[in-house]
Amino acid sequence: NTQYMMIGLLEAPVLAFVLAYLVRYFNTDDEDNVGYVFNQNENMPAYMFMSVVVALFIGLTVSAEEIIKDRKILKRESFLNLSRFSYLVSKIGIMFTLSAVQTILYVLVGNYVMGIKGMWGDYWLVLFTTSCFANMLGLNISASFNSAVTIYILIPFLIIPQLLLSGVIVKFDKLNPVFATQGSVPLVGEMMTSRWAYEALAVNQFKNNASFKPFYKFEKAISEANYKRNYWKDEIEKKLSKIEKEIDDATKKKELEADVLLVKNEIEKEGKLHPKLKYKYLDKITNSITKGEVNSIKNYLNSTYKDYYLAVDKKARKAKDELSLKLNSTPEKKEEFIKKQQDYQNEALEQALKNKNDLGPACLEKDGQLIQRTDPVYLYPTNNYGGAHFYAPKKKLFGKYFETFWFNISVIWLMSITLMITLYFDVLKRLLDLLGSLTEKLPFKKKKR
């Protein structure tokens, strides 16, 4: 179908151009007008998110009618015992090939207009993976419903949750408390492909661009030391002061137990993260804690703990400065360094991934632990089963850390494979048929005369 192919191939680059050109922001102040600079484009996070939405939308629309239009042929050929697997593989192969071409065209046009350098393959892989998931979702609904009109009415219901529950439009910790979780992505967010795809793009763009990548490990160490010395330590000291008052107040027994548990959990966690910070009197942090033991913890915080993170901060800053001096050793190198920062790093994306625009506390108490809310892109998760906070730089699975970019792509492909299985066994259609048969048996259902 020539018309179908023309629209299918032109849709992606046209959308890429329109979207990228509209959000290609630059300062037009006559006194400070230097033209377009990637570093200063405040719309970069929006462009990345809308690219994911476009990949989902295109992937759904091109596949939504692929099986339903063959329904009569399939019914006629069902008596010939033809291979359903071969039929589905041919459909999937065509859809994936089309999606590959569409996303290549989208990335070539969109990234060129936006001035995104050095990450052509990364963007294509994420958007292609997202589009393939949408292809599989479209094929599933195409095989399960009886009307093309019903399918196209259903598409907005599939896209809107991907927008709302991606963690971009509404932050996960700002959702209704019934769904929201602090310090991690809620279950409804984990089910959204848009969340995995956008996070992969955003984290990869921030930490692996050619300008910032050599500095990331130093900035991570500085961020950790800053949080632990200026926020975590203050919160623990406040708790200890509160515990001292509660020790003498019999009516505050439950509060005392909760506060002691939090202090113990946090100090124990620090010891596991950094063996040098292991507190040797941890077993004495119990509900029968004394003021002398509280003072012992305070001394630990102001000596061993403080000195450790002071040394971490000093070492990281020294290494960062040495690298910076090396890259700025001559006027030519300095000019090249500044130009590289402008071409590869983006301030708006940095603010989003460091949570700088959030007016809430840097440290939050929840379920007997302190949750870090600042600099999520520098914080390694401790969950051993892949769960993590939004914008985590790595994901932990069975004791090993994996780059967020590759982990998230793997999750999306796992979702796609699951949809392949449900498509082969007609799971969605069987569920709809079952619901239909149950509806027929409802007591208020009128019997036909």
Side-chain angles (χ1 to χ4, degrees), residues 215-225 377-380 393:
F215 292 92
Y216 177 82
K217 60 183 179 181
F218 307 130
E219 292 289 354
K220 180 185 181 302
I222 293 169
S223 171
E224 181 184 10
V377 75
Y378 293 129
L379 177 64
Y380 280 13

Side-chain angles (χ1 to χ4, degrees), residues 30-304:
D30 290 339
E31 293 185 3
D32 188 29
N33 187 358
V34 295
Y36 179 76
V37 178
F38 174 75
N39 179 266
Q40 298 174 10
N41 189 342
E42 298 176 14
N43 298 318
M44 184 58 193
Y47 169 77
M48 297 168 74
F49 177 61
M50 288 309 300
S51 296
V52 170
V53 174
V54 167
L56 284 168
F57 180 76
I58 293 177
L60 263 175
T61 53
V62 298
S63 60
E65 279 194 71
E66 278 301 306
I67 293 179
I68 195 172
K69 69 182 183 182
D70 294 342
R71 184 151 293 177
K72 290 182 180 179
I73 299 173
L74 291 172
K75 187 175 182 180
R76 184 180 66 200
E77 294 182 347
S78 61
F79 301 101
L80 301 176
N81 293 322
L82 298 178
S83 171
R84 175 175 173 77
F85 178 77
S86 298
Y87 169 76
L88 293 177
V89 167
S90 69
K91 287 292 183 185
I92 294 170
I94 292 170
M95 291 297 97
F96 282 12
T97 302
L98 181 58
S99 291
V101 176
Q102 287 178 319
T103 47
I104 286 172
L105 294 174
Y106 182 93
V107 171
L108 288 175
V109 174
N111 284 26
Y112 176 76
V113 175
M114 285 292 288
I116 301 171
K117 296 183 178 180
M119 291 198 169
W120 304 90
D122 300 37
Y123 274 73
W124 173 80
L125 185 56
V126 172
L127 298 182
F128 169 65
T129 300
T130 304
S131 192
C132 287
F133 166 83
N135 290 157
M136 295 312 307
L137 187 59
L139 290 175
N140 269 269
I141 62 174
S142 182
S144 304
F145 290 90
N146 298 320
S147 165
V149 175
T150 304
I151 291 171
Y152 283 105
I153 290 173
L154 187 63
I155 286 178
F157 289 94
L158 298 174
I159 292 291
I160 290 172
Q162 299 283 349
L163 297 174
L164 183 61
L165 300 173
S166 62
V168 180
I169 295 178
V170 180
K171 292 185 177 181
F172 289 128
D173 58 353
K174 297 296 190 294
L175 290 172
N176 187 312
V178 175
F179 301 103
T181 57
Q182 298 295 335
S184 63
V185 177
L187 181 60
V188 290
E190 301 281 26
M191 297 167 63
M192 298 298 118
T193 305
S194 56
R195 161 264 200 268
W196 296 99
Y198 174 75
E199 184 185 46
L201 280 178
V203 171
N204 189 60
Q205 175 70 53
F206 172 79
K207 70 188 290 276
N208 290 324
N209 68 76
S211 173
F212 188 69
K213 188 175 181 178
F215 292 92
Y216 177 82
K217 60 183 179 181
F218 307 130
E219 292 289 354
K220 180 185 181 302
I222 293 169
S223 171
E224 181 184 10
N226 178 64
Y227 168 76
K228 293 295 175 65
R229 288 189 299 126
N230 297 327
Y231 300 106
W232 185 93
K233 180 174 173 288
D234 286 351
E235 288 296 321
I236 296 297
E237 287 178 334
K238 288 177 185 177
K239 283 292 177 187
L240 291 172
S241 298
K242 189 166 177 276
I243 287 172
E244 283 183 310
K245 295 177 182 178
E246 292 166 347
I247 289 173
D248 298 326
D249 191 343
T251 63
K252 299 288 183 68
K253 186 177 180 181
K254 287 188 177 180
E255 289 184 39
L256 174 64
E257 291 176 359
D259 292 336
V260 167
L261 179 62
L262 183 142
V263 170
K264 184 174 183 177
N265 287 342
E266 289 299 313
I267 292 178
E268 184 178 16
K269 191 193 302 180
E270 283 296 295
K272 288 179 179 178
L273 286 173
H274 307 290
K276 291 182 179 180
L277 292 178
K278 191 172 182 180
Y279 183 61
K280 58 183 178 180
Y281 303 116
L282 187 68
D283 58 324
K284 292 186 178 181
I285 306 177
T286 64
N287 295 335
S288 57
I289 191 170
T290 65
K291 289 186 177 180
E293 288 158 356
V294 170
N295 288 328
S296 175
I297 298 171
K298 287 183 177 180
N299 291 334
Y300 157 80
L301 292 176
N302 287 300
S303 56
T304 305

